[in-house]
Amino acid sequence: MMGERVALLIGLIVIPVLLLMAGHRFRDRTPRQRSLFWGALLGHTTGLLLTVTLTMLPPIWWHGGPMWRDFLVHFSMLIGTVAGTALAMARRAQ
Amino acid sequence: MSENAATEARPRTAPRKVETRSSRRMRDVAKVSFHLHLWFGVISTVLLLIIAITGILLNHKRPLGLMPDIDNEPSGAFEEALPLAELVARASAAVPAEAAAAGVDRMDVRPGDGLVKIRFDDRLVTEATVDLNSGTVLHVGERNDVFLEKLHSGEIFGDNWILLSDLAAVLLVIVLISGYWLWLYPKARA
């Protein structure tokens, strides 16, 4: 329970702050850093949309319902960011 | 000769504007406003998105079918209404076993409509609408708006999470004020 709340807070506040910091003086960043930034940003945005959708559809409390919904509500933004960064890294390595 | 020399001696660049204390202060405020607007805007995005969407849904909860809307005429005088315990027993028999086992959360008596809404304390927030006089169960369904209200306030995550909703509201106010400042004094930041 505590872990999922922490993951949600990281997705809600910590990741946007880190992305803002990474986006500061964006023109001075190397192509690799820019690519990782875009990967993380797109991943987080996808996770964000998933979180917002799953919190309200269906409009019933997720706790006690399907496990996957409970999990995705809390972890989507975190997983999205990590997956987006990893994808960008893999694409860069090719 | 002396006139030409005087012209050449004059600086060719435009005279520098003297920065007064008030213009410097305006520029500082604009800089702070810009950063507040940017950072707080990004940080509060998800929270405000959820609060805004749940707010719109709650405003239209009846047409969207998020709460039942039962039309009923009183079938007798309010003084002749069945006892509350009897009404609860009838409602408990009509709802799923899980809801009945969770117990009654609250009862909303509507003498004008001749009905009582009995809400159960289960995960789905089941509600039974019962006629006050005849005890007929008029409707059984979920109260989705209760869940959305809790999500809107942040209460669904726990009692202390309403602070997150407060934080989003404070951030929104700061974003609005800083945005207004940047709109009024766009050149102050330059």
Side-chain angles (χ1 to χ4, degrees):
Chain A
M1 202 71 165
M2 187 64 187
E4 55 188 31
R5 298 288 153 86
V6 171
L8 185 66
L9 278 177
I10 289 172
L12 280 174
I13 295 164
V14 178
I15 294 172
V17 168
L18 291 176
L19 284 172
L20 259 174
M21 287 166 71
H24 191 61
R25 297 199 183 280
F26 193 62
R27 275 175 290 185
D28 301 339
R29 303 283 180 197
T30 63
R32 185 173 182 275
Q33 287 173 332
R34 284 189 211 183
S35 153
L36 292 183
F37 170 83
W38 282 115
L41 184 67
L42 288 173
H44 183 258
T45 307
T46 310
L48 179 160
L49 293 173
L50 202 62
T51 300
V52 172
T53 308
L54 287 175
T55 49
M56 284 174 241
L57 279 178
I60 298 166
W61 194 26
W62 48 82
H63 190 69
M67 281 276 283
W68 62 267
R69 187 185 172 203
D70 197 358
F71 177 78
L72 286 177
V73 162
H74 293 94
F75 286 89
S76 279
M77 288 181 281
L78 188 60
I79 292 173
T81 310
V82 173
T85 315
L87 275 174
M89 211 183 278
R91 213 174 143 215
R92 197 82 206 156
Q94 280 177 0
Chain B
M1 164 66 190
S2 64
E3 197 179 308
N4 279 346
T7 313
E8 280 170 14
R10 236 178 264 152
R12 287 184 182 174
T13 52
R16 285 185 69 185
K17 233 179 182 177
V18 180
E19 196 176 43
T20 60
R21 186 181 290 179
S22 71
S23 68
R24 200 182 311 138
R25 195 178 304 140
M26 288 267 280
R27 203 181 59 191
D28 290 345
V29 172
K31 266 186 185 171
V32 171
S33 295
F34 171 77
H35 286 289
L36 287 178
H37 196 73
L38 177 70
W39 286 77
F40 288 176
V42 170
I43 291 167
S44 59
T45 301
V46 189
L47 296 173
L48 291 176
L49 203 61
I50 291 175
I51 291 171
I53 295 172
T54 49
I56 293 168
L57 291 173
L58 285 170
N59 278 344
H60 304 281
K61 56 188 175 185
R62 282 174 203 274
L64 289 172
L66 296 169
M67 72 171 283
D69 194 11
I70 314 295
D71 280 329
N72 187 51
E73 288 296 320
S75 56
F78 182 60
E79 291 74 20
E80 294 162 6
L82 294 172
L84 290 180
E86 172 68 19
L87 293 166
V88 169
R90 294 199 183 200
S92 298
V95 298
E98 188 196 340
V104 175
D105 176 31
R106 65 186 66 182
M107 296 171 76
D108 179 9
V109 180
R110 306 277 176 94
D113 296 327
L115 55 82
V116 56
K117 294 178 175 187
I118 301 169
R119 192 190 297 174
F120 291 86
D121 205 12
D122 60 326
R123 185 178 75 87
L124 302 176
V125 196
T126 309
E127 186 180 81
T129 310
V130 183
D131 189 285
L132 276 172
N133 294 92
S134 67
T136 311
V137 178
L138 302 168
H139 181 267
V140 173
E142 293 163 8
R143 283 291 301 263
N144 298 137
D145 60 314
V146 173
F147 163 77
L148 288 172
E149 268 172 28
K150 286 183 177 178
L151 186 61
H152 187 73
S153 66
E155 196 189 334
I156 196 82
F157 295 102
D159 290 341
N160 293 330
W161 282 65
I162 54 166
L163 294 173
L164 209 61
S165 182
D166 294 343
L167 174 75
V170 171
L171 293 183
L172 179 61
V173 171
I174 295 171
V175 167
L176 288 174
I177 293 170
S178 56
Y180 219 83
W181 184 270
L182 290 170
W183 171 62
L184 287 174
Y185 302 104
K187 287 179 183 170
R189 204 167 68 87

